[in-house]
Amino acid sequence: MAIIGTDINKAKTLLQQGEAVGIPTETVYGLAANAFDPLAVAKIFAIKNRPVFDPLIVHVASYRQALTVADFSPVAQRLAHAFWPGPLTLVLPKKAMVPDLVTSGLTTVGVRSPRHPMALALLQALPFPLAAPSANPFGYVSPTTAQHVHDQLGDKLSYILDGGPSAVGVESTIVGFEGAETVIYRVGGVSVEELEQEIGHVRLALHASSNPRAPGQLLSHYAPRTRMTLQPLASFTPEQQNQLGALVFRQPVGSIPRTNQIILSPAGDLAEAARNLFSALRALDALNVSLVWTELVPEEGLGRAINDRLRRAAHSA
Ligand code: TXA
Ligand code: MG
């Protein structure tokens, strides 16, 4: 069983021995291993039960270290300087140092520098970058606490570094470059508005398992075990509503029992809602209802990332 602790040196030693370790980041917890060691990276895929066609993000201590794994265009450099350390992953031409297993054979690699003091201290202490997907079984909700990691992967890990609850709460925004265009493959912790303020128009090319540029963006990702629906609440009779759970933005709704309603942010704050989202999705499974009604939040700022995850979570219903 995994130990949860705050010993950066212990995490460092395990990673140097080729083990996989749970680590905190500002977005969600990651399952990290030496990005330059294919055997260590293979453990990540095995522990997560992740298909090998789904590439991993390489986490770096600094822009300087990023230059050892990828080639930066002027726009990419500009974005790295504006948003790193932070929740932005850049998909760039990979350098030969990066094993094919990390990138699933693609010629590109996803790179980011996380804005979390413990993750950065660990990365700075190591002579290699860390490949890390979110530390959840493939297809399930990402973890935002060390305990979430322990709950699902605790029997397959020896150590989880505890850096407190993730401050952002949704995964990084993934951006790539196609010709002269900047393209968003996954909406996340850096908003579209923030990106456009920095570099002008960006194109959204989200979803679909059919998108070869973001192979992990399966529609039913993020599904809790409990079924979720985005159908209008009015399509349920009051008697039916009485049987539902709800995941709502700021206030209770309809005739759904109050104790079955999880509120993301009573103040209507999108950053707070993002921070609470994945814990809330996990809490749905404890409500003991067979269907959870949910609503979208305003489609702006972090709201885009929240809505993306809600749509995917509801898709399997
Ligand atoms: O916030 C995050 O990004 C978290 C923390 C731990 O950093 N990580 C994360 O990793 O969400 P993961 O593996 O759960 O999601 C990474 C996504 C996958 O959908 C994968 O397909 C995409 O990034 N990706 C990675 N490398 C890529 C590449 N070279 N081209 C296109 N998509 C890539
Ligand atoms: Mg993931």
Side-chain angles (χ1 to χ4, degrees):
M1 262 299 169
I3 294 169
I4 295 179
T6 57
D7 186 348
I8 293 177
N9 269 318
K10 176 161 179 151
K12 177 186 170 189
T13 304
L14 287 164
L15 289 163
Q16 283 182 307
Q17 290 167 350
E19 294 303 316
V21 172
I23 63 161
T25 86
E26 81 281 31
T27 57
V28 300
Y29 273 67
L31 179 59
N34 179 352
F36 292 154
D37 178 354
L39 287 178
V41 172
K43 291 182 187 167
I44 294 177
F45 285 94
I47 290 169
K48 272 192 66 119
N49 199 12
R50 179 179 176 116
V52 290
F53 60 73
D54 193 4
L56 307 179
I57 294 172
V58 174
H59 296 70
V60 292
S62 62
Y63 178 69
R64 230 180 73 199
Q65 189 178 39
L67 294 175
T68 67
V69 297
D71 295 324
F72 283 72
S73 64
V75 184
Q77 180 178 357
R78 173 148 190 189
L79 289 174
H81 283 134
F83 296 105
W84 284 3
L88 179 68
T89 295
L90 300 171
V91 174
L92 300 167
K94 87 172 192 78
K95 295 224 157 133
M97 283 285 277
V98 183
D100 286 334
L101 185 56
V102 171
T103 61
S104 304
L106 297 174
T107 56
T108 55
V109 61
V111 193
R112 87 175 188 100
S113 187
R115 192 174 62 222
H116 190 290
M118 228 177 211
L120 282 175
L122 178 62
L123 284 164
Q124 279 154 12
L126 286 166
F128 46 76
L130 293 173
S134 51
N136 49 285
F138 184 71
Y140 196 74
V141 180
S142 295
T144 51
T145 66
Q147 189 60 47
H148 290 166
V149 181
H150 194 275
D151 290 345
Q152 292 191 300
L153 301 177
D155 54 343
K156 298 175 177 152
L157 288 177
S158 60
Y159 199 63
I160 302 165
L161 196 57
D162 188 353
S166 296
V168 175
V170 291
E171 299 89 344
S172 61
T173 302
I174 303 180
V175 162
F177 306 92
E178 299 179 18
E181 260 189 331
T182 302
V183 184
I184 300 184
Y185 301 134
R186 179 175 74 185
V187 284
V190 171
S191 69
V192 178
E193 292 88 337
E194 288 171 303
L195 284 171
E196 294 199 324
Q197 229 165 49
E198 195 58 36
I199 55 164
H201 178 73
V202 295
R203 181 162 64 86
L204 280 171
L206 308 182
H207 52 224
S209 47
S210 61
N211 179 357
R213 309 251 174 206
Q217 288 282 68
L218 303 177
L219 251 185
S220 64
H221 239 74
Y222 306 104
R225 275 183 294 275
T226 309
R227 284 171 56 231
M228 289 175 67
T229 180
L230 277 162
Q231 279 175 48
L233 192 57
S235 64
F236 297 92
T237 65
E239 295 73 42
Q240 288 171 324
Q241 289 186 32
N242 199 37
Q243 309 296 314
L244 294 175
L247 178 63
V248 299
F249 180 35
R250 53 188 311 175
Q251 55 195 12
V253 291
S255 38
I256 301 173
R258 178 66 190 85
T259 47
N260 283 353
Q261 301 203 36
I262 297 178
I263 299 172
L264 288 174
S265 172
D269 174 17
L270 290 171
E272 181 183 32
R275 212 157 43 234
N276 290 333
L277 180 64
F278 290 156
S279 290
L281 286 175
R282 282 165 194 269
L284 296 180
D285 286 337
L287 284 181
N288 251 327
V289 295
S290 55
L291 186 62
V292 169
W293 179 84
T294 189
E295 62 181 355
L296 298 180
V297 304
E299 185 80 10
E300 63 192 31
L302 279 176
R304 271 207 191 78
I306 295 170
N307 287 341
D308 173 80
R309 307 309 186 261
L310 288 174
R311 287 192 195 97
R312 287 174 204 279
H315 181 73
S316 50

